[in-house]
């Protein structure tokens, strides 16, 4: 098998936790495996880009074990709050972790699935993923990566030849299995399950695993873990806002402890800076609306603190939790300055510029993607009149962090609004025409290159 022997560094750290943390499972036996998307850019970071297409589909569609890593797929156990209601009947219901390895940054990463079949945690579900859902997740991860949001990457999408019945899609609809590359699948809900079961020994073991393997720290201190998670999730919240992204379902089982966004269902990008904009049609109260995402993530991290209370004193946990807001503010300032394409200047001036930008976006109704495209580098076009006077004056003092020489800036802004997602899906559904998806991925990556620091 042509795996790059220098870049491929297999691991099996998950096994050190013991079988109380997961259930060995078998993948579904699909009628067919038709490769629809392979992310060689991400695969190169873990030494898998040299696989042939046939080998690729065997490993990521039939799940033949990769060498020297996990011997079989593992469905992880966890609980979680779903729309603030606690649910002890969760766990990997249509996915599993089937390999671990080191990436080119020496991080431990997981290969996890979506749509790979039933597990003990499927709760009467079929364990499958619709092809449209796989296409949507591919688009979300590519767009977020380009916009500097910590995210899982879609490594592979394979059509599996089954007809699925779904209430939110025209049915029957086509099926797929997706493989994601993720820094971790350890969720806040992973700790909640152990706290719910009052298993202090297992809680301590998971704290040590997380600090050692995901943060490279020789520690088993729960307070230290919470402090690191607060910092990472504050950054994620800020990057969501700068990207104009709405995850849609920020339940505590969908927030992992490395602050890396993952598991995309009803996501949307907000057309304008509307704090009330929601992604999920079933989010009737706007709990996970665009403007409430930092609050939602902070609330989720609070549940981690509550879980860790069984093995740590309350006072230092509360103190760590209370740093979320003070950490979020400089993170959102930095993230929006990055999208503006200017270098930081002074903390007070930077904060004022960002607040003026948010006010003008909210009151003007200008499209988020249009504005950040036009202003990149700090030169606001003359077509922006009121309410942009304050922003224009503030930008005059800033230096660009990067020029506009890249060919991307000679075209139109790359966006990913719901209408565009539907327009990409339509030719796939009607004619099995994947050209629009491939073109969009290429355009997103071009934008990523133009924005990159």
């Amino acid at each position: 098998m042509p795996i790059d022997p220098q870049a491929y560094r297999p691991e099996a750290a998950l096994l050190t936790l013991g079988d109380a943390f997961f259930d060995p499972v078998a993948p579904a036996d699909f009628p067919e495996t038709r490769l629809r998307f392979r992310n060689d850019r991400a695969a190169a970071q873990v030494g898998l880009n040299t696989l042939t297409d046939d080998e690729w589909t065997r490993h990521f569609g039939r799940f033949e074990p990769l060498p020297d890593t996990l011997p079989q797929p593992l469905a992880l156990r966890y609980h979680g709050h779903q729309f603030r209601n606690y649910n002890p009947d969760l766990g990997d219901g249509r996915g599993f972790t089937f390999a671990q390895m080191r990436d080119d940054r020496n991080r431990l990463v997981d290969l996890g699935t979506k749509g790979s079949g039933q597990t003990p945690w499927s709760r009467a579900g079929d364990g499958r993923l619709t092809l449209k859902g796989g296409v949507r997740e591919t688009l979300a991860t590519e767009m977020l990566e380009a916009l500097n949001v910590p995210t899982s990457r879609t490594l592979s999408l394979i059509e599996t030849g089954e007809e699925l019945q779904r209430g939110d899609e025209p049915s029957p609809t086509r099926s797929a299995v997706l493989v994601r590359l993720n820094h971790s699948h350890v969720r806040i809900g992973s700790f909640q399950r152990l706290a719910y079961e009052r298993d202090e020994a297992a809680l301590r073991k998971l704290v040590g695993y997380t600090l050692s393997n995901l943060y490279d720290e020789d520690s088993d201190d729960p307070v230290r873990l919470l402090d690191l998670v607060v910092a990472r999730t504050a950054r994620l919240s800020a990057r969501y806002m700068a990207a104009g992204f709405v995850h849609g379902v920020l339940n505590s089982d969908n927030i992992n402890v490395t602050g890396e966004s993952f598991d995309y269902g009803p996501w949307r990008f907000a057309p304008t800076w509307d704090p009330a904009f929601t992604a999920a049609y079933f989010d009737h109260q706007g709990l996970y609306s665009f403007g409430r995402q930092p609050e939602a993530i902070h609330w989720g991290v609070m549940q981690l603190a509550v879980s860790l209370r069984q093995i740590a004193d309350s006072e230092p946990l509360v103190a760590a939790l209370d740093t979320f807001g003070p950490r979020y503010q400089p993170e959102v300032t930095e993230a929006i300055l990055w999208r503006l394409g200017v270098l930081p200047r002074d903390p007070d001036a930077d904060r004022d510029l960002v607040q003026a930008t948010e006010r003008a976006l909210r009151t003007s109704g200008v499209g988020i993607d249009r504005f950040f495209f036009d202003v990149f580098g700090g030169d606001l076009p003359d077509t922006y009149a009121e309410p942009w006077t304050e922003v224009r004056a503030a930008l005059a003092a800033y230096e660009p962090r990067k020029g506009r020489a890249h060919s991307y800036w000679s075209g139109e802004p790359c966006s990913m609004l719901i209408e565009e997602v539907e327009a990409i899906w339509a030719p796939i559904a009607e004619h099995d025409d994947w050209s629009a998806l491939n073109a969009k991925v290429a355009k997103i990556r071009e934008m990523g290159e133009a924005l990159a620091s």
Side-chain angles (χ1 to χ4, degrees), residues 172-193:
T173 189
R174 293 152 71 178
S175 61
V177 63
L178 180 142
V179 174
R180 69 165 71 100
L181 188 65
N182 218 41
H183 185 24
S184 172
H185 285 86
V186 176
R187 301 155 163 85
I188 288 173
S190 306
F191 291 85
Q192 289 181 280
R193 180 182 74 88

Side-chain angles (χ1 to χ4, degrees), residues 81-86 251 287-288 292 295-297 299-300:
H81 278 88
Q82 298 186 307
F83 287 84
R84 303 283 167 92
N85 296 307
Y86 193 76
N251 296 329
L287 183 63
Y288 300 142
R292 294 183 68 182
E295 170 200 340
I297 293 174
W299 193 91

Side-chain angles (χ1 to χ4, degrees), residues 5-196:
Q6 293 184 330
Y8 179 71
R9 293 182 291 160
E11 295 269 2
L14 195 58
L15 298 179
T16 65
L17 284 172
D19 57 13
F21 290 82
F22 46 70
D23 294 274
V25 295
D29 184 13
F30 298 116
E32 62 180 58
T33 50
R34 300 181 65 189
L35 180 57
R36 295 305 195 178
F37 175 79
R38 61 177 283 171
N39 188 343
D40 280 319
R41 184 170 68 172
Q45 296 174 354
V46 290
L48 296 174
N49 58 307
T50 52
L51 293 172
T52 67
D53 281 354
D54 180 62
E55 289 165 334
W56 187 281
T57 54
R58 292 207 311 269
H59 289 294
F60 305 142
R62 300 296 179 191
F63 298 102
E64 292 183 7
L66 288 162
D68 303 319
T69 178
L70 303 178
Q72 64 188 116
L74 303 174
L76 305 185
R77 302 176 185 177
Y78 49 85
H79 291 179
H81 278 88
Q82 298 186 307
F83 287 84
R84 303 283 167 92
N85 296 307
Y86 193 76
N87 188 346
D89 297 318
L90 298 178
D92 282 338
R94 58 172 176 170
F96 49 62
T97 302
F98 71 97
Q100 290 186 297
M101 55 203 66
R102 294 280 167 179
D103 68 7
D104 59 356
R105 295 161 57 188
N106 201 38
R107 302 184 311 162
L108 180 69
V109 294
D110 299 342
L111 292 186
T113 65
K114 193 172 185 178
S116 50
Q118 292 178 312
T119 77
W121 310 104
S122 296
R123 295 182 294 163
D126 61 13
R128 269 46 173 189
L129 171 69
T130 67
L131 182 61
K132 184 177 184 180
V135 167
R136 283 174 47 83
E137 181 146 338
T138 300
L139 291 169
T141 56
E142 288 285 331
M143 193 73 176
L144 289 173
E145 183 182 3
L147 290 174
N148 204 31
V149 177
T151 180
S152 63
R153 270 90 43 84
T154 300
L155 183 71
S156 172
L157 182 64
I158 291 174
E159 188 168 0
T160 55
E162 296 178 313
E163 292 187 341
L164 305 179
Q165 298 293 326
R166 293 291 186 268
D168 56 355
E169 288 187 36
S171 296
T173 189
R174 293 152 71 178
S175 61
V177 63
L178 180 142
V179 174
R180 69 165 71 100
L181 188 65
N182 218 41
H183 185 24
S184 172
H185 285 86
V186 176
R187 301 155 163 85
I188 288 173
S190 306
F191 291 85
Q192 289 181 280
R193 180 182 74 88
L194 301 175
Y196 179 89

